[in-house]
Amino acid sequence: MSEETAAVGTTLQRASDGQLGLGADLSKPATWKALGREHGAPGLALFGLLLVTFVVELTQGGPDVWGLSGQALRDGRWTTLVSHIFAHAGLAHLLMNTSALLALSPIVLIRLGAGPASWLRYATLFLFAGWAGAALYLALHPFGAVPMVGASGAICGLWGAAARVDFDGGIVPLRSRQVWKNVKAFAKTNVILFLVLFAIVRVSGGVGGLAWEAHLGGFLFGLFAMPLLSGMRPERPDAESPDEG
């Protein structure tokens, strides 16, 4: 196994354990070499697109113009259905999302094939997960006016898809320990983020917070869509039950 393959393998194994805090891996040169190869290049390209979009957003009205809300759609700003996925509320928001993007992309792409077809499947997963998150957000806030921005819903779709990737090859079923661990990690992470952002907003006297609805919608889309996009069937028996604790 090459150093580059080992770097991606380590990332994939951590995803299988439901541990997606991958800062240590991203600090290693071997990981960045792996990102530049076949299984990381689409994620690296998307990373660059998000950086460029953020700069453009800063000069073109910011989150208030690019963000999605029920009010924005009532005003006829349908472009926000796409623009909100690529916009961010600030540099910290962008860096948090892109670090997760770079960590998750190779995991998902390992099971999406190779060549142009893998790029198309990856883009499909990213965009439709973002729209699934937006749909759930709008369903729960149909008359809201606070704009929602960020690639978090789409990236949570990558997380959901990564939860289905078997480290030994193939796709694991929904009723597996691996998926259950990732679901618990997803829930825990969002609860912590919600509480932190809620506290910051209350102290600062501002508005907004965590769009957990978009996170959930994207995550669920990734969970269910990954087998279809990969063209693989789950290899483990569906009777496998989740572990407790």
Side-chain angles (χ1 to χ4, degrees):
M1 180 182 295
S2 68
E3 187 180 18
E4 289 83 359
T5 303
V8 175
T10 300
T11 302
L12 183 55
Q13 183 62 66
R14 290 171 67 98
S16 298
D17 293 337
Q19 301 170 357
L20 294 171
L22 301 170
D25 289 332
L26 291 177
S27 69
K28 297 179 180 179
T31 302
W32 287 95
K33 290 181 181 179
L35 286 171
R37 290 178 176 268
E38 181 180 355
H39 295 305
L44 208 55
L46 184 54
F47 168 73
L49 177 60
L50 290 175
L51 289 180
V52 172
T53 302
F54 179 67
V55 174
V56 174
E57 176 198 351
L58 292 178
T59 64
Q60 299 294 325
D64 288 340
V65 173
W66 289 58
L68 175 68
S69 66
Q71 183 63 55
L73 296 183
R74 288 194 297 276
D75 291 341
R77 293 191 284 126
W78 296 97
T79 56
T80 58
L81 286 169
V82 175
S83 64
H84 84 277
I85 299 176
F86 299 92
H88 288 85
L91 183 60
H93 187 201
L94 173 69
L95 293 177
M96 180 176 67
N97 277 347
T98 52
S99 64
L101 172 75
L102 290 174
L104 288 165
S105 293
I107 303 171
V108 174
L109 283 156
I110 283 174
R111 296 292 175 268
L112 292 183
S118 69
W119 287 64
L120 179 60
R121 295 187 189 102
Y122 175 75
T124 299
L125 172 61
F126 186 84
L127 286 173
F128 277 84
W131 286 328
L136 183 57
Y137 179 82
L138 290 172
L140 296 178
H141 305 283
F143 304 107
V146 177
M148 177 188 69
V149 293
S152 302
I155 292 171
C156 284
L158 298 181
W159 186 349
R164 302 296 303 273
V165 176
D166 191 344
F167 179 63
D168 296 324
I171 299 294
V172 301
L174 285 172
R175 295 180 60 190
S176 66
R177 291 184 177 88
Q178 176 175 306
V179 170
W180 180 240
K181 288 178 180 179
N182 277 277
V183 168
K184 290 193 295 183
F186 173 80
K188 179 180 178 181
T189 298
N190 276 271
V191 168
I192 293 173
L193 286 174
F194 178 85
L195 293 175
V196 170
L197 291 177
F198 178 79
I200 292 175
V201 170
R202 288 296 294 258
V203 171
S204 64
V207 296
L210 181 72
W212 62 267
E213 305 90 342
H215 291 192
L216 179 59
F219 184 79
L220 290 175
F221 180 85
L223 272 181
F224 287 97
M226 186 57 178
L228 298 176
L229 290 171
S230 66
M232 297 181 180
R233 294 184 178 182
E235 294 185 352
R236 297 178 185 175
D238 286 337
E240 183 182 4
S241 59
D243 59 337
E244 300 295 330

